[in-house]
Amino acid sequence: MQRMLSEIRIAGFGGQGVILAAVVIGKAEAIFHGGYACMTQSFGPEARGGSSSAQVILSSEPILYPYVARADVLVVMSQEAYRKFGPQLKPGGILITEQDLVHVDEAPRGVRLYGVPATRLAEELGRKMVLNIVMVGFFGAVTGLLEADALRQAVADSVPPAFQKLNLQAFDKGYEYGSQLMVKLTDVEEAVSLESA
Amino acid sequence: MQADAKGVLTGVHFLDGDHACCEGTLAAGARFAAGYPITPSTEVVERFAQRIPTVGGVFIQMEDELAASIAIQGAVWGGAKAFTVTSGPGFSLMMEHIGYAAMTETPCVFVNVQRGGPSTGLPTLPAQADMMQAKWGSHGDYGIVALCPNSPQECFDLTITGFNIAEEFRVPVLMMLDECVGHMTEKVVIPEAEQLEITPRRYTKLPPEEFRLYEPREDMVPDMVRAGAGYRFHVTGLTHDERGYPSMNVETQDRSVRRLVDKLKPFSNGRALFETEDLEDAQVVVVSYGITSRVAQRAIQLARAQGIKAGKFRIISAWPFPDQAIDALAGRVKAFVVPELNLGQMVHEVARVAAGRAKVIPVTHAGGTVHNPEVILNAIVEAAR
Amino acid sequence: MNEATLETPFEMPADAQNPVEPFLRMDRMPHIWCPGCGIGTTVNCFTRALLDSKADLDKVAVVSGIGCTGRVAGYANLDSFHTTHGRAIPFATGLKLANPELQVVVYSGDGDLFAIGGNHFIHAARRNMDLKVICVNNLTYAMTGGQTGPATPSHVISATSPYGVFEPSFNLVQLAEAAGAAYVARWTTYHVKQLARSMEEVMKKKGFCFIEVISPCPTLYQRRNKMGDGLDTMKFYKQMSKTRNGAPTSECALTKAGEIVVGKFVDRDRPGYFEMMSAQMHETLGDRYASPEVMCSEC
């Protein structure tokens, strides 16, 4: 699959597994999909005080510029992360939120907003710590940037064997939630277009 | 000689530059590392500390960078391939021992993941401002080889090259990463051990009574020995004769210091490592290295899209400077544009070699992030006028 | 001198050889040390110890720092390393870890080991690195002209303390014990037999061993402090030394003209660095732990 350069930023609190989420997405592209991915963590003063942020660039060509300037996809798991990185989202970009942790009054114009209660879904699996992988699953379903299979393999490859099953469940849960949401939205869109017709 | 499979993590990985560099050291046969924690390079030895007990070797965390940078040299004379890793202030502290390694012709590798300076500077953010320090930071005249990878894959590949050069030339090799390359995660392919060519240490075949530790071969490099093998040799940082004995006179000084520098001349010429693109019709050549070379390539693409004949010269072996290649370009291009994450360092080398035949335009940056490609593009546009 | 020697004057056989010659690089003689200097005496004792300990000389390495004592490495006919100022111990640490079959002797001075290299000394002792550290303590920086060092006693006149030293000095044996050394002894260059015996002992002992040798620097220290020449210093050592094996090192501080407590103060067994590393790795990694094979293969 040829793709345009996609710039993704993932941000949240320290401890939410922001970096691992970015690694999984990058690995899915670079190793299990055959394209190129470049992942960088944000260090520096902004990485202190409990916040965490990572950038992933996906491309079918070698990646030259390593940082995200304007994100095509912004995944936020904290209000602060949204406040900070929201303005960097490209017009027409995708905003993905942990909906219980991030309140969005009004999505920027032209931005598609998708929310998921990832923490709650993770808690249903008995381990709140896998919310990042729920987010990855959800990301996969709503963006369509990567095949579910590549992402699943990347999840399995990125966690210790003892936690593989749990993480794959988390991925599936997020992916399923995202898929259902997309079906619902398509129905709504169809309804809207029928009405307007 | 092919690599020892014990250290080779064959496979396709998603690694950052620091970790890939560590895998390079293991694949190259390094079984000893000494380090002292410092950002943003500690990950290299953290991984080594994790990996080495199952590969078979030693990692020791020393009390400071002075200790780490000389412990590796003790290990080398004990028979090991060894390296240390540092950044910023730690690199400054290691200067004396880079000189000691050059003077005693101890093959070893220093990894420097460059961060913003001076002093404590920007511990977590990139710069390329230690380039001149790498060449000139220790006192006296001496020779070193410095390599500049621009991706995690190259952090792996070039680290092996670095160890090989260290052995071939009996010289300290400096791996000049930057924070961006060190902390960027990309695909890294590690081949099978038998596909990796490793330069073994060139131990002498002469018996002890005939062997002289600093008697150069035809390539100006002397053979090695290790402690405990019955040679009863002497190593000193004092100016020494071919036996290794202190010999502090003008003739020995001239002969030995010149040899330390001259044995690396091939890197100014045929052995220089660099990468070029679009040079055939280039009027403006962007000379860059490390992470900046990737950003520069983006700027070159933008320039080409505007119809400007821009080309790429990426320095891989920065020291000795690739004189011959730049010299050949200087006679036929209009200008060199030299972006780097410092206020102008390697640009002086480009200017030295260009010697007025082409314009040399620095694109400076104090560090903390990479250049905006537009800034480099503007310099290219300006240079093409 | 007895009468027999007077009656039959000693005749040197043509093939006579000083018994220390095989241990020295005779092609580097004469050495640089001044008349009356004690460093040569310690080297004599060291060669005696090597002989008596029956050490395999191909497996003994000497590592020195910078200074007058730092030159010992250059004269020892062994694998020998004259390193940078203060860094003999970390160099020796790397050498030993890469090639554990070597007996690594660090031979250096008080300034080198305890000022610029002081940090390395305490950490190597803490790790119980298997090194034999011999410190020739002439109480001054001799090579550079007799400046104040970390072991220079109070009230001494030096090139950088022309009105007398007023800062306290380190008690080296106490420092070594506190940092964890397995063996600690002190002698003067008057005590050649005892010193040679201590050196022989440490050649057979595992762990971080430390021998301090109080030694004259007639050219700079004794002269400036009106303490006479080399012979006067020997008389001073003889008169002021008191052998107290096992004495608490806290009671062994040196003063300018006071008593010099000598003897073996510490001889204890602590697990060495290698043992501790191996034990920890085995505990954590079990069979996955690969014993270190640090040396690279030959071509």
Side-chain angles (χ1 to χ4, degrees):
Chain A
M1 178 169 71
Q2 283 292 110
R3 73 157 79 258
M4 297 290 292
L5 190 100
S6 301
E7 303 185 29
I8 302 157
R9 181 181 286 279
I10 307 174
F13 302 126
Q16 284 180 323
V18 164
I19 307 302
L20 182 63
V23 165
V24 167
I25 291 168
K27 201 183 263 186
E29 175 67 41
I31 296 181
F32 299 104
H33 184 257
Y36 293 87
C38 178
M39 196 281 283
T40 52
Q41 304 177 38
S42 295
F43 288 88
E46 79 273 17
R48 298 289 178 271
S51 73
S52 175
S53 149
Q55 317 173 39
V56 197
I57 302 171
L58 311 180
S59 175
S60 52
E61 303 285 326
I63 294 153
L64 299 175
Y65 189 81
Y67 297 136
V68 169
R70 307 290 314 264
D72 297 289
V73 181
L74 173 64
V75 181
V76 284
M77 299 190 254
S78 76
Q79 194 65 36
E80 190 202 335
Y82 174 63
R83 187 178 48 74
K84 188 166 173 193
F85 297 111
Q88 293 176 13
L89 194 55
K90 262 186 209 160
I94 297 174
L95 173 62
I96 296 173
T97 63
E98 203 305 343
Q99 66 183 40
D100 294 342
L101 299 175
V102 182
H103 173 72
V104 180
D105 271 338
E106 193 184 348
R109 250 165 52 118
V111 163
R112 284 178 285 161
L113 167 66
Y114 305 105
V116 57
T119 312
R120 264 190 285 146
L121 294 178
E123 276 165 356
E124 284 172 23
L125 291 168
R127 295 297 286 269
K128 189 177 155 185
M129 61 181 271
V130 293
L131 91 136
N132 57 338
I133 302 300
V134 175
M135 290 300 284
V136 169
F138 184 73
F139 161 92
V142 302
T143 65
L145 278 173
L146 283 153
E147 285 148 21
D149 220 37
L151 282 166
R152 267 189 126 252
Q153 287 181 66
V155 170
D157 194 62
S158 305
V159 299
F163 293 96
Q164 236 174 47
K165 199 176 149 205
L166 173 70
N167 278 280
L168 288 172
Q169 285 173 339
F171 174 81
D172 292 342
K173 201 148 188 142
Y175 194 86
E176 201 178 315
Y177 191 92
S179 303
Q180 284 172 7
L181 180 67
M182 295 309 278
V183 170
K184 254 189 257 168
L185 289 175
T186 315
D187 291 349
V188 171
E189 271 169 32
E190 276 171 9
V192 168
S193 59
L194 279 176
E195 268 172 32
S196 51
Chain B
M1 180 175 113
Q2 72 184 43
D4 171 7
K6 284 204 294 289
V8 183
L9 198 68
T10 302
V12 181
H13 308 272
F14 197 55
L15 291 179
D16 74 16
D18 283 356
H19 288 161
C21 174
C22 172
E23 290 303 330
T25 69
L26 288 163
R31 296 293 179 266
F32 183 91
Y36 183 80
I38 192 162
T39 306
S41 58
T42 318
E43 290 92 332
V44 182
V45 285
E46 284 175 355
R47 189 177 179 99
F48 194 85
Q50 188 223 326
R51 291 264 284 124
I52 198 66
T54 55
V55 171
V58 173
F59 167 69
I60 183 166
Q61 185 175 315
M62 297 300 289
E63 49 275 12
D64 56 31
E65 285 90 347
L66 297 154
S69 57
I70 197 76
I72 61 165
Q73 300 189 47
V76 167
W77 286 101
K81 287 192 180 182
F83 71 100
T84 187
V85 178
T86 195
S87 296
F91 194 53
S92 293
L93 289 174
M94 288 186 180
M95 284 299 130
E96 184 179 8
H97 291 148
I98 289 174
Y100 187 77
M103 182 58 142
T104 56
E105 300 182 74
T106 303
C108 55
V109 172
F110 292 76
V111 179
N112 175 16
V113 185
Q114 297 174 83
R115 66 190 222 186
S119 191
T120 311
L122 300 171
T124 60
L125 298 169
Q128 298 177 307
D130 306 347
M131 296 305 297
M132 282 291 169
Q133 186 185 19
K135 167 74 175 133
W136 303 108
S138 199
H139 53 279
D141 285 310
Y142 59 97
I144 52 95
V145 173
L147 304 178
C148 302
N150 77 351
S151 68
Q153 181 67 55
E154 265 198 1
C155 288
F156 174 80
D157 297 336
L158 279 185
T159 298
I160 298 175
T161 307
F163 271 92
N164 287 349
I165 290 170
E167 295 299 336
E168 184 181 348
F169 291 88
R170 261 185 79 174
V171 70
V173 172
L174 277 47
M175 298 300 302
M176 301 295 286
L177 282 63
D178 51 71
E179 185 276 337
C180 188
V181 164
H183 276 164
M184 127 198 315
T185 304
E186 291 185 328
K187 180 163 78 174
V188 175
V189 180
I190 299 182
E192 303 277 349
E194 58 261 32
Q195 288 168 275
L196 292 170
E197 189 56 33
I198 302 300
T199 304
R201 185 154 296 164
R202 299 203 337 202
Y203 284 120
T204 184
K205 295 189 170 59
L206 293 175
E209 58 277 12
E210 287 171 37
F211 176 69
R212 305 206 308 167
L213 187 56
Y214 292 96
E215 181 82 60
R217 300 176 304 243
E218 235 169 53
D219 63 359
M220 306 178 81
V221 184
D223 281 334
M224 269 299 272
V225 281
R226 62 172 168 79
Y231 283 83
R232 310 272 190 98
F233 60 90
H234 182 59
V235 173
T236 178
L238 286 167
T239 296
H240 44 267
D241 62 20
E242 281 68 18
R243 294 171 300 175
Y245 291 178
S247 172
M248 287 163 281
N249 58 61
V250 177
E251 291 74 26
T252 314
Q253 172 74 2
D254 185 73
R255 187 171 73 244
S256 55
V257 176
R258 282 186 196 283
R259 185 175 62 75
L260 293 181
V261 174
D262 289 347
K263 70 177 178 180
L264 301 175
K265 278 249 170 84
F267 289 94
S268 306
N269 307 314
R271 287 291 295 271
L273 301 171
F274 53 85
E275 189 181 82
T276 63
E277 218 172 290
D278 294 330
L279 286 187
E280 298 71 29
D281 64 343
Q283 290 191 319
V284 178
V285 174
V286 183
V287 181
S288 59
Y289 54 92
I291 189 57
T292 306
S293 66
R294 293 170 60 151
V295 183
Q297 193 166 350
R298 179 80 195 113
I300 293 166
Q301 288 173 351
L302 296 171
R304 284 263 163 190
Q306 291 185 15
I308 298 170
K309 290 177 175 158
K312 172 177 99 171
F313 187 97
R314 170 159 83 95
I315 298 171
I316 298 175
S317 57
W319 300 115
F321 190 73
D323 281 29
Q324 192 182 49
I326 295 291
D327 181 70
L329 287 170
R332 66 175 175 88
V333 303
K334 200 164 168 181
F336 291 105
V337 168
V338 189
E340 36 186 351
L341 294 178
N342 57 51
L343 300 189
Q345 296 196 8
M346 299 310 285
V347 67
H348 295 301
E349 287 294 293
V350 179
R352 173 181 64 77
V353 178
R357 288 171 291 167
K359 274 193 290 182
V360 177
I361 300 164
V363 186
T364 61
H365 189 306
T369 183
V370 298
H371 287 81
N372 181 337
E374 300 283 338
V375 174
I376 302 173
L377 174 66
N378 292 343
I380 297 171
V381 171
E382 193 63 32
R385 273 210 187 118
Chain C
M1 204 174 284
N2 63 39
E3 287 182 12
T5 47
L6 286 176
E7 277 165 21
T8 48
F10 180 73
E11 263 185 55
M12 185 82 85
D15 60 347
Q17 191 194 37
N18 187 321
V20 304
E21 278 187 24
F23 300 92
L24 299 178
R25 299 182 193 276
M26 295 307 291
D27 53 352
R28 289 213 58 212
M29 295 297 139
H31 58 66
I32 61 154
W33 297 312
C34 303
C37 171
I39 299 171
T41 308
T42 72
V43 172
N44 243 321
C45 295
F46 182 56
T47 60
R48 171 61 57 186
L50 288 175
L51 196 65
D52 292 348
S53 69
K54 299 187 176 61
D56 175 357
L57 298 186
D58 284 346
K59 303 293 179 195
V60 179
V62 175
V63 183
S64 289
I66 298 295
C68 288
T69 312
R71 294 302 188 88
V72 167
Y75 300 125
N77 189 19
L78 302 163
D79 290 335
S80 56
F81 302 91
H82 182 223
T83 67
T84 53
H85 196 16
R87 319 303 167 198
I89 286 177
F91 183 100
T93 296
L95 183 64
K96 178 72 189 178
L97 291 175
N99 200 333
E101 66 171 12
L102 294 175
Q103 299 214 61
V104 181
V105 179
V106 172
Y107 216 123
S108 217
D110 46 306
D112 184 77
L113 286 168
F114 289 95
I116 189 166
N119 196 31
H120 310 309
F121 182 90
I122 57 174
H123 286 280
R126 168 178 69 80
R127 297 181 181 112
N128 200 21
M129 195 57 69
D130 193 5
L131 302 175
K132 299 125 193 9
V133 179
I134 296 164
C135 173
V136 177
N137 183 3
N138 56 16
L139 310 169
T140 190
Y141 284 98
M143 182 68 90
T144 48
Q147 295 82 11
T148 302
T152 313
S154 289
H155 314 304
V156 161
I157 303 296
S158 84
T160 46
S161 300
Y163 308 112
V165 171
F166 50 85
E167 53 178 80
S169 59
F170 269 141
N171 173 353
L172 304 185
V173 290
Q174 185 185 16
L175 180 66
E177 182 185 19
Y183 182 104
V184 181
R186 174 198 280 157
W187 302 104
T188 76
T189 49
Y190 171 77
H191 301 87
V192 288
K193 286 216 164 104
Q194 296 92 325
L195 175 59
R197 204 178 309 126
S198 263
M199 286 171 161
E200 188 192 340
E201 264 179 29
V202 300
M203 290 307 287
K204 292 171 176 166
K205 181 148 180 91
K206 285 255 176 228
F208 188 88
C209 299
F210 176 63
I211 301 174
E212 177 186 14
V213 193
I214 310 297
S215 173
C217 177
T219 310
L220 296 163
Y221 184 91
Q222 270 73 20
R223 178 180 58 83
R224 233 179 227 130
N225 290 286
K226 301 185 172 45
M227 296 173 88
D229 58 15
L231 184 60
D232 295 323
T233 311
M234 285 304 113
K235 289 177 183 162
F236 170 72
Y237 288 166
K238 182 184 177 192
Q239 185 192 343
M240 298 308 294
S241 293
K242 189 165 268 176
T243 305
R244 285 177 62 198
N245 289 316
T249 51
S250 58
E251 295 170 11
C252 300
L254 296 171
T255 56
K256 183 182 174 186
E259 186 179 83
I260 304 170
V261 181
V262 295
K264 179 168 80 176
F265 307 124
V266 177
D267 189 349
R268 58 186 170 185
D269 289 321
R270 289 177 61 209
Y273 184 85
F274 266 111
E275 288 167 74
M276 292 184 284
M277 177 174 74
S278 177
Q280 182 67 33
M281 294 298 174
H282 273 119
E283 189 185 319
T284 312
L285 294 167
D287 292 345
R288 292 176 56 220
Y289 178 54
S291 291
E293 283 174 33
V294 177
M295 271 190 259
C296 62
S297 51
E298 316 210 353
C299 37

